[in-house]
Amino acid sequence: MNALYLKTFGDTTITLPQRLEIENYGCGLIEISGQLEPTNDKLTPKDNFFLCGDFVQESFIGQIKLPIIRRIKFSKSWEVNTYFKKIIWVRVEREPISRINLYITDESGNRLSFQGEGLMCTLLLIPNKSYM
């Protein structure tokens, strides 16, 4: 099991301090906090947003596929909703990993940029047999 404590502003590449051998692992977002401010005035907190990672299996949003870790929701003041009823486990597709690209998209798959304090994310990586 590995826990990754990462920060993103919408599109962030993080170099890990060491390479992780995570063959047959799953990834789940277990904690998220923070506040973002969109750089695009057309976005509203009610829009659909998705936290993606370039190392996980792709999922479908309508007619497109993206490596979604979790759908995220924001309050009216763009503070992220931190409450999850259940962890959603996604299969890790790329291993080993030494760099991770975390990004936020809209439901069309467009990568979005934000400003503000950023989002702190805790990702848990565990062997498949532990969650399947």
Side-chain angles (χ1 to χ4, degrees):
M1 176 174 65
N2 293 287
L4 303 175
Y5 301 91
L6 307 172
K7 187 171 189 173
T8 184
F9 290 92
D11 193 353
T12 307
T13 299
I14 300 116
T15 301
L16 302 176
Q18 72 181 54
R19 188 169 84 165
L20 297 177
E21 302 290 339
I22 51 173
E23 184 177 356
N24 296 318
Y25 270 55
C27 175
L29 178 68
I30 62 169
E31 187 177 58
I32 190 168
S33 64
Q35 186 173 11
L36 294 174
E37 299 168 21
T39 57
N40 179 343
D41 292 340
K42 295 179 183 178
L43 296 175
T44 71
K46 292 184 179 184
D47 294 335
N48 288 313
F49 299 98
F50 301 90
L51 178 65
C52 298
D54 67 343
F55 63 102
V56 299
Q57 182 178 25
E58 291 184 329
S59 300
F60 288 98
I61 305 174
Q63 302 297 315
I64 62 172
K65 287 174 67 174
L66 289 170
I68 300 167
I69 297 171
R70 182 90 192 199
R71 180 174 177 244
I72 53 177
K73 296 180 181 182
F74 292 96
S75 70
K76 290 179 183 178
S77 61
W78 287 98
E79 190 168 334
V80 71
N81 179 358
T82 59
Y83 176 74
F84 301 131
K85 291 181 182 177
K86 182 179 179 182
I87 297 173
I88 298 172
W89 296 102
V90 184
R91 184 179 310 277
V92 172
E93 287 288 308
R94 180 171 56 91
E95 57 81 26
I97 58 172
S98 56
R99 290 169 32 129
I100 292 174
N101 180 229
L102 287 181
Y103 55 97
I104 298 172
T105 70
D106 60 16
E107 60 188 9
S108 298
N110 300 311
R111 288 188 186 210
L112 305 171
S113 60
F114 294 87
Q115 54 193 12
E117 69 180 56
L119 295 183
M120 290 299 300
C121 308
T122 304
L123 301 176
L124 192 60
L125 302 169
I126 61 174
N128 284 347
K129 64 182 178 187
S130 300
Y131 72 91
M132 296 198 112

